[in-house]
Amino acid sequence: MKTTRREILFFAGGSAVGILMTPAPWRLITDTALWSENWPGIPRPARGAITARYTNCALCAAGCAVRARCVAEQPVSLAGVAGHPLSHGALCAYGLAGHHLPYHPARVTRGSEREAMAAVTAAMDRLAGNEHMAVLDLRPGRTASWTYRRAMAAVKNGVYVAAGGALANAAIDLSKARTVLSLGVPLLEDWGTPGNVMAARAGFHLIQADAVESRTAVMADQWLRIKAGSEEALGQGILQALGGQTPVAAAEATGIAEQQFLALAGELRQNGPALVLGGARSKSAAQLNDALGALGRTIVVRREAPVPDAWKKAAPAVDLASVEDGSIRVLLIDESAPGAYLPWSAVEPKLVRDNPVVVTLGWTRDGYGRHAQYLVPAGVYPEVTDDLPPAVDSVAATFRMSVPLVQAPEGVVKPEEWIARAAGLQVGDTLRERADAVHRAGRGTLFTYAGGKSVAAKDVKIDDFWKALQAGACWMDEVEPARRPAAVKVAAGATRQAADLTDDLPLVVVLTEAPSSPLLSKIYQESNLKLGPEQVAIHPLEARAAGVEDGARAVLETLAGRIDVEVRVDAGVPLGAVLVASRPAVLDVCGAGVGAKVVRA
Amino acid sequence: MISEIKPIHPARYGMTIDVDRCNGCGACMVACAVENNVPPAHEGANDRKGLTWLRVYKVDNGEEYPNHRTAFVPVMCQQCNHDTPCVHVCPQQAVDLDPATGVVGQMAERCLGCRYCMAACPYHARYFNWWDPAWPKGMEKTLNPDVTPRMRGVVEKCNFCHGRWHAAKQLAAAAEKPAGEPVEYTPACVEACPTGAIRFGDLNNAASEPARAAKEAESFRLLEKLGTETKVYYRSKREWVREMAQAPRPDQIRKEIARG
C-alpha cells in the first residue's frame, strides 16, 4: 500500500482535531496553570505560631489601641481593640496598614549620623550670644518632649519649639456637645480619636462648613457650602449675628445668605451646649466658643499625666512664631512621631543666615529631610517605643505606649537619646521613670487590652503596672470636674484667606488628607475614593480653561512656589477651588485658603 | 471549593451594608487587601486595572447644591445564589458555588485567565492580575499565611474571607462541633468598619442581623431585576440611593457628570 502525501496530511490534521476532542490538551492547560501558580516569583507567606500582641498606634495623635495578629512574631494584620474606652475598637485605613511602614519604599535606614553629631557639636561651640540651639518637636506632650525640654534647659540658649494646635492645654468633650459647627475641620475624617468621635456622633447635630463636599460634609446633618477659604468670614459673620447685627460683608464673602447666618446663630444659642471647631489659626472659632459658653462645658482643662519632679526644671514650650527671625544656629527636628507639619517657609526665616546646622531625625526623606543638611534615620511605627500624648478629644490625661512589634533595622537611632546626647544630657529609661511617677500619683485606672479589663492603678503593683504598659495597656486619669481653660491659644500667624487671591492665582486651595502607605494605593490609585499624594482635583470647566484633562500632568503654582501634580477632573469640586492632597512638599508651597493656579506641564 | 462534607444545615452567608452609615474612609478596602494578600498597586494600575476585592464607590444624586447629596457604596462580589453568571461561563470550572456556605469561590489554580467571568459579572466585582504580584522589599513578611498569593494572569475576587471561614471550621472541629454545622466568623471588612456599616452572618439563621436587615423595607440589592438572588443586601433611607442600585455600575452617573 502506497501512502500518499495527501493521506499523511489527512492523518496529521485528523489527529490534531481528534486530540482536541480528548481531555489531553485541557489537562495540559490545567497542569500548566497549577505549575505556574507555584512558581518561585510568587512570595510564600511565612509559617509559625500564631499569637496576638497589643500596642497603641503611633501614626497620629489619636493613639488607637491595636491588636496585632502575629505569625512567628511578625505582625501580619492589625485590628482595633474592642471595648477600649477611647478608641472603641476602631482603626483607620492608615492604621490598618501600619505594620507595612517599616518596608515602605521611601524608608531611610542609612544616614549621616556621625557627621551630624560632629556638625552639631561644632556649631554649639561657636554659638553667639543671641543665637539659639532649638529642638522642633512635631508631637509635643510625650515623655521624649520632656527630655527635649530638659536638654534645651541644659544647653546655652536652648529653645524648645512645639508644633501644636489651638487646644494644646485643653480638651474637647464631644459627649457634652449638642450642636457642633465645624469650620472646615475634618471631624469625621480621622480627627481626634476616630472611634471616640463615632461613639459620640449620635449625640450632636453637626453643621459642616466646607467648600467641597468632604466626607465629613457627606455625613453631617447640615452642609454649608461656603466659598473656598471663607471659614473665618463665616465665623465672624455668625459672631455678628449673635450680637444682633446683620452680617452683610460675611454673606458676600461666604456665599451664605444673611438670613442663614441668623438661623445658625439661633441654633447654636438655643441647641446648646454648642461647640465650634476651627483650625489652629482660627481666631473666630475661639471667639465663638467664648461667646457661646463652650469654655468649661465642651472645651475643658485637661491636666497632664504626672512626670517626675526632677524633670520640671525644663525649658518652656514655645511656638515657632515667637522665635526671633535669623536666630537659630542649630535646629534639631524630631519627625519620627508624625504631627503638625510646619511649612519650611515658616521654619527657614528663623535660621541664621550663615551656615545653620539643620538635622532631622525621621524615617523618610519626604518631610524636612528635603531641606536639612543631615538626615539621621529613626525608627518608625511599629518598631519604636514611644508614649502617646492624649488626643484632642480625650478629656482625661492618658499614659500609653506604642511598643515595638518588629525589630528596628541596624543603623537607626532613637531621637530622644540622640538629641539628649547632642545636648550632653544624661538620661535613663525615661518611660519607666514616667510610668513610676504616674503610678505613684495613685489615681486613675489601667485598661489592659488582652483581658479587656479596667482596674484601679493603685491596686496594681508598680512592676506589674510597667509590665502591663509594655503589653500595650492604657492608663487613664480620673476625669476632673469640667473647668474653664484660661483662654484658647490661637496659633500665631495670619489666617490665610481667599482675600490673598490675585488675578494670576484665581483658585483657592482646599486641602484634604493624603494617604501614605503602600497598600493605601487601593483607595487612591486603584479606585478614586481619595486623592493620591501627587494629585489635585478641579472642576471640569477649570480643567478646560487650564487646558488639562483628567489624568494629565500639571504644575500647581502659588506665591510660595510650584509643585508637579496629576490632575483629576471632578464635578464635585466647586468652580474657583482646587482640591489638594496635603503632604509636606505641598504644605511647603501652599496651605488651605491660599491662591493658586494649575498650569499644563 | 466543593465541600467534601455534606452539609447538615447549609449556611447561606450574607452581608448587609448600611449605606447611610458608610463614611467612605476606605478601612474596609485596606483591611481586605491585608487579609487576602492583595499586593499594592503596580505603577501601571488604575481604577480599571487595579485589584480591589472590595471597592467603595462615591456616588451622588447628580443635583446641584443645596440639593446635592453624596453617598458611599461598598461593592464586593455579591455572591449570586441563582443563575450565577460567572459559574456558567467559566470554561475551566474554576468558579464554584459552595453548597455548604453559599459563597462563590474562585480557584486561581484552575483559572485560565480568559476573563469570561469578568465580562459576565454584572457587578464588576472580579479583578484580573495584570502583573506579577509584588510587594516592596521585606513587606512579603507581612503576608497572611492563611491565603495563597495569586499569580499574574488569573482572576480573583471576594470570597467572604475564606481563610477566616476555614480557621473557624478548624476551631469548631477542635471543639468537637458537628462537621456540617455552620460556623460563625467575621470577614476582615466587617471587623475593620469603624462605623459598623457592614454586618455579616448566616441568612438562613432568621435571628442573624443580615437576615433581619434583609427583610426591612429600606433594604435592597444591586441590580435586583437580574434575578441573581445576591447575598449582599444594602440599606438606605434615601430613595435616590436605592434607585442608583439598579444602575450597571454605581459611579456611572457621576462619571457622566464629570465628563461634562
Side-chain angles (χ1 to χ4, degrees), chain A residues 507-532:
Chain A
L507 302 175
V508 184
V509 170
V510 179
L511 288 177
T512 182
E513 58 190 324
S516 102
S517 188
L519 214 52
L520 295 193
S521 62
K522 302 291 161 203
I523 56 179
Y524 66 87
Q525 184 181 343
E526 295 172 89
S527 71
N528 47 17
L529 192 59
K530 290 182 184 176
L531 281 184

Short mmCIF file of all heavy atoms in Angstrom, two decimals, chain A residues 507-532:
data_model
loop_
_atom_site.label_atom_id
_atom_site.label_comp_id
_atom_site.label_asym_id
_atom_site.label_seq_id
_atom_site.Cartn_x
_atom_site.Cartn_y
_atom_site.Cartn_z
N LEU A 507 -7.45 80.29 41.81
CA LEU A 507 -8.07 79.17 42.52
C LEU A 507 -7.71 79.19 44.00
O LEU A 507 -6.58 79.51 44.36
CB LEU A 507 -7.61 77.84 41.92
CG LEU A 507 -7.87 77.64 40.43
CD1 LEU A 507 -7.25 76.32 39.95
CD2 LEU A 507 -9.36 77.63 40.14
N VAL A 508 -8.67 78.85 44.82
CA VAL A 508 -8.41 78.77 46.26
C VAL A 508 -8.08 77.32 46.62
O VAL A 508 -8.79 76.40 46.21
CB VAL A 508 -9.65 79.21 47.07
CG1 VAL A 508 -9.34 79.20 48.56
CG2 VAL A 508 -10.10 80.58 46.64
N VAL A 509 -7.00 77.15 47.36
CA VAL A 509 -6.58 75.79 47.73
C VAL A 509 -7.47 75.25 48.86
O VAL A 509 -7.69 75.93 49.86
CB VAL A 509 -5.11 75.78 48.18
CG1 VAL A 509 -4.74 74.44 48.80
CG2 VAL A 509 -4.20 76.08 47.00
N VAL A 510 -7.98 74.05 48.65
CA VAL A 510 -8.69 73.33 49.72
C VAL A 510 -7.88 72.07 49.97
O VAL A 510 -7.67 71.27 49.06
CB VAL A 510 -10.12 72.97 49.29
CG1 VAL A 510 -10.82 72.20 50.40
CG2 VAL A 510 -10.91 74.23 48.94
N LEU A 511 -7.40 71.91 51.20
CA LEU A 511 -6.54 70.76 51.49
C LEU A 511 -7.37 69.55 51.92
O LEU A 511 -8.40 69.69 52.58
CB LEU A 511 -5.55 71.10 52.60
CG LEU A 511 -4.42 72.07 52.23
CD1 LEU A 511 -3.58 72.37 53.45
CD2 LEU A 511 -3.54 71.50 51.13
N THR A 512 -6.91 68.40 51.56
CA THR A 512 -7.53 67.16 52.00
C THR A 512 -6.42 66.21 52.42
O THR A 512 -5.26 66.43 52.11
CB THR A 512 -8.42 66.55 50.90
OG1 THR A 512 -9.04 65.38 51.39
CG2 THR A 512 -7.61 66.20 49.66
N GLU A 513 -6.76 65.17 53.14
CA GLU A 513 -5.75 64.24 53.64
C GLU A 513 -5.10 63.48 52.48
O GLU A 513 -5.74 63.23 51.47
CB GLU A 513 -6.40 63.25 54.61
CG GLU A 513 -7.52 62.48 53.95
CD GLU A 513 -8.34 61.67 54.92
OE1 GLU A 513 -7.77 61.16 55.88
OE2 GLU A 513 -9.55 61.57 54.72
N ALA A 514 -3.84 63.13 52.66
CA ALA A 514 -3.14 62.34 51.64
C ALA A 514 -2.75 60.99 52.21
O ALA A 514 -2.14 60.93 53.27
CB ALA A 514 -1.88 63.08 51.19
N PRO A 515 -3.15 59.91 51.57
CA PRO A 515 -2.76 58.60 52.08
C PRO A 515 -1.26 58.36 51.89
O PRO A 515 -0.67 58.90 50.98
CB PRO A 515 -3.57 57.63 51.23
CG PRO A 515 -4.18 58.41 50.13
CD PRO A 515 -3.87 59.85 50.31
N SER A 516 -0.66 57.56 52.76
CA SER A 516 0.77 57.32 52.61
C SER A 516 1.20 55.99 53.17
O SER A 516 1.80 55.91 54.21
CB SER A 516 1.56 58.44 53.29
OG SER A 516 2.06 58.07 54.50
N SER A 517 0.85 54.94 52.53
CA SER A 517 1.32 53.62 52.88
C SER A 517 1.16 52.79 51.61
O SER A 517 0.24 53.06 50.84
CB SER A 517 0.48 53.05 54.02
OG SER A 517 1.04 51.85 54.49
N PRO A 518 2.04 51.82 51.35
CA PRO A 518 1.96 51.14 50.05
C PRO A 518 0.56 50.61 49.72
O PRO A 518 0.08 50.79 48.60
CB PRO A 518 2.96 50.00 50.21
CG PRO A 518 3.93 50.47 51.21
CD PRO A 518 3.17 51.33 52.16
N LEU A 519 -0.11 50.02 50.68
CA LEU A 519 -1.39 49.38 50.38
C LEU A 519 -2.53 50.39 50.26
O LEU A 519 -3.61 50.04 49.81
CB LEU A 519 -1.71 48.34 51.45
CG LEU A 519 -2.45 47.10 50.95
CD1 LEU A 519 -1.75 46.46 49.78
CD2 LEU A 519 -2.65 46.10 52.06
N LEU A 520 -2.29 51.62 50.66
CA LEU A 520 -3.34 52.62 50.51
C LEU A 520 -3.54 53.00 49.04
O LEU A 520 -4.42 53.80 48.73
CB LEU A 520 -3.05 53.85 51.36
CG LEU A 520 -3.05 53.61 52.87
CD1 LEU A 520 -3.08 54.92 53.62
CD2 LEU A 520 -4.24 52.77 53.31
N SER A 521 -2.71 52.43 48.17
CA SER A 521 -2.96 52.61 46.73
C SER A 521 -4.36 52.12 46.36
O SER A 521 -4.92 52.54 45.36
CB SER A 521 -1.92 51.84 45.92
OG SER A 521 -2.02 50.45 46.19
N LYS A 522 -4.91 51.24 47.18
CA LYS A 522 -6.26 50.73 46.90
C LYS A 522 -7.28 51.85 46.89
O LYS A 522 -8.27 51.78 46.17
CB LYS A 522 -6.69 49.70 47.97
CG LYS A 522 -5.78 48.52 48.09
CD LYS A 522 -5.85 47.63 46.90
CE LYS A 522 -4.64 46.73 46.82
NZ LYS A 522 -4.34 46.23 45.49
N ILE A 523 -7.05 52.88 47.72
CA ILE A 523 -8.08 53.90 47.86
C ILE A 523 -7.81 55.16 47.05
O ILE A 523 -8.62 56.05 47.06
CB ILE A 523 -8.36 54.25 49.34
CG1 ILE A 523 -7.11 54.69 50.05
CG2 ILE A 523 -9.00 53.11 50.05
CD1 ILE A 523 -7.36 55.05 51.50
N TYR A 524 -6.65 55.24 46.38
CA TYR A 524 -6.48 56.42 45.52
C TYR A 524 -6.02 56.06 44.12
O TYR A 524 -6.44 56.68 43.16
CB TYR A 524 -5.54 57.46 46.15
CG TYR A 524 -4.09 57.02 46.30
CD1 TYR A 524 -3.19 57.20 45.27
CD2 TYR A 524 -3.63 56.45 47.46
CE1 TYR A 524 -1.88 56.82 45.39
CE2 TYR A 524 -2.32 56.06 47.61
CZ TYR A 524 -1.44 56.25 46.57
OH TYR A 524 -0.15 55.86 46.70
N GLN A 525 -5.20 55.03 43.96
CA GLN A 525 -4.73 54.72 42.62
C GLN A 525 -5.62 53.67 41.95
O GLN A 525 -5.94 53.79 40.76
CB GLN A 525 -3.29 54.19 42.69
CG GLN A 525 -2.68 53.93 41.32
CD GLN A 525 -1.27 53.39 41.40
OE1 GLN A 525 -0.59 53.48 42.42
NE2 GLN A 525 -0.80 52.79 40.31
N GLU A 526 -6.02 52.66 42.71
CA GLU A 526 -6.83 51.58 42.13
C GLU A 526 -8.33 51.85 42.28
O GLU A 526 -9.15 51.03 41.88
CB GLU A 526 -6.45 50.26 42.77
CG GLU A 526 -5.00 49.87 42.44
CD GLU A 526 -4.53 48.66 43.22
OE1 GLU A 526 -4.72 47.55 42.72
OE2 GLU A 526 -3.98 48.83 44.32
N SER A 527 -8.67 52.94 42.89
CA SER A 527 -10.04 53.42 42.90
C SER A 527 -9.92 54.94 43.04
O SER A 527 -8.82 55.47 43.14
CB SER A 527 -10.83 52.83 44.07
OG SER A 527 -10.39 53.38 45.29
N ASN A 528 -11.04 55.62 43.03
CA ASN A 528 -10.94 57.08 43.14
C ASN A 528 -11.63 57.59 44.39
O ASN A 528 -12.27 58.62 44.39
CB ASN A 528 -11.52 57.75 41.89
CG ASN A 528 -12.86 57.15 41.51
OD1 ASN A 528 -13.47 56.47 42.33
ND2 ASN A 528 -13.30 57.37 40.30
N LEU A 529 -11.45 56.84 45.47
CA LEU A 529 -12.09 57.22 46.73
C LEU A 529 -11.44 58.47 47.33
O LEU A 529 -12.11 59.32 47.90
CB LEU A 529 -12.01 56.05 47.71
CG LEU A 529 -12.86 56.15 48.97
CD1 LEU A 529 -14.33 56.29 48.63
CD2 LEU A 529 -12.65 54.93 49.85
N LYS A 530 -10.13 58.58 47.22
CA LYS A 530 -9.43 59.74 47.77
C LYS A 530 -8.41 60.23 46.76
O LYS A 530 -8.05 59.52 45.83
CB LYS A 530 -8.70 59.35 49.07
CG LYS A 530 -9.62 59.06 50.22
CD LYS A 530 -8.84 58.73 51.47
CE LYS A 530 -9.79 58.34 52.59
NZ LYS A 530 -9.09 57.92 53.80
N LEU A 531 -7.92 61.43 46.99
CA LEU A 531 -6.85 61.95 46.15
C LEU A 531 -5.53 61.32 46.56
O LEU A 531 -5.26 61.16 47.75
CB LEU A 531 -6.73 63.46 46.31
CG LEU A 531 -7.72 64.35 45.57
CD1 LEU A 531 -7.35 65.80 45.79
CD2 LEU A 531 -7.78 64.02 44.10
N GLY A 532 -4.70 61.00 45.58
CA GLY A 532 -3.39 60.43 45.86
C GLY A 532 -2.41 61.51 46.27
O GLY A 532 -2.71 62.70 46.18
#
